[in-house]
Amino acid sequence: MVVKKVIMIVAGLVLAGGIVIGARYLISVKEYQKAVKEISIKNVDLLKVADGSYIGSCDVNFVAAKVKVDVENHKIIDIDLLEHKTERGKKAEVIPKKVVQAQSLKVDTISGATNSSKVILKSIENALEKGEK
């Protein structure tokens, strides 16, 4: 009888713990979705960006990126993706190359990796804004 009570109490505690963990995860997912939805990428005027190397980052919990952007003569010479935390957004790692080619942040996101694309673009924008005169 005592063993049954202990098993029932333990099972109840495990169930309650699972519910709490599940609820916290769902809240995190909602916050992540909201943060990604609120990301807006504005085009930085490269004529206002001084020569140099600039670090920028963006973190929306499940996806994060950190970049180093090199600017010379008001042109983006290179973008190094220093960090990229993602689950399914690896395909978005071509975004820095696309930005260098276009000399603009107004590039298409990668299908199937839209959230990572937006986070990487926002990181690049944040880096370039540090170099604005």
Side-chain angles (χ1 to χ4, degrees), residues 15-31:
L15 180 61
I19 290 170
V20 169
I21 290 169
R24 292 177 87 190
Y25 176 76
L26 289 175
I27 290 168
S28 293
V29 168
K30 287 290 184 193
E31 289 171 351

Side-chain angles (χ1 to χ4, degrees), residues 13-116:
L13 289 173
V14 168
L15 180 61
I19 290 170
V20 169
I21 290 169
R24 292 177 87 190
Y25 176 76
L26 289 175
I27 290 168
S28 293
V29 168
K30 287 290 184 193
E31 289 171 351
Y32 159 72
Q33 291 170 333
K34 182 178 184 241
V36 169
K37 186 177 180 181
E38 291 176 352
I39 291 176
S40 67
I41 310 299
K42 64 179 188 190
N43 212 15
V44 177
D45 183 354
L46 291 173
L47 294 175
K48 295 180 180 178
V49 179
D51 288 356
S53 294
Y54 305 100
I55 303 291
S57 62
C58 180
D59 187 341
V60 292
N61 193 11
F62 292 105
V63 178
K66 183 177 181 181
V67 298
K68 180 176 78 104
V69 181
D70 297 322
V71 176
E72 191 175 295
N73 295 319
H74 305 292
K75 291 188 177 186
I76 301 169
I77 302 303
D78 191 32
I79 301 173
D80 289 323
L81 185 57
L82 304 174
E83 297 172 18
H84 182 212
K85 178 179 86 173
T86 183
E87 289 179 7
R88 299 179 310 219
K90 186 115 175 107
K91 295 188 299 183
E93 293 180 0
V94 300
I95 290 290
K97 181 180 176 186
K98 293 177 122 204
V99 170
V100 172
Q101 289 172 342
Q103 291 296 300
S104 171
L105 295 171
K106 298 298 180 186
V107 298
D108 290 336
T109 57
I110 304 302
S111 181
T114 304
N115 294 349
S116 280

Side-chain angles (χ1 to χ4, degrees), residues 1-12:
M1 206 54 136
V2 173
V3 173
K4 278 187 176 183
K5 278 187 178 180
V6 170
I7 290 173
M8 293 298 285
I9 290 171
V10 169

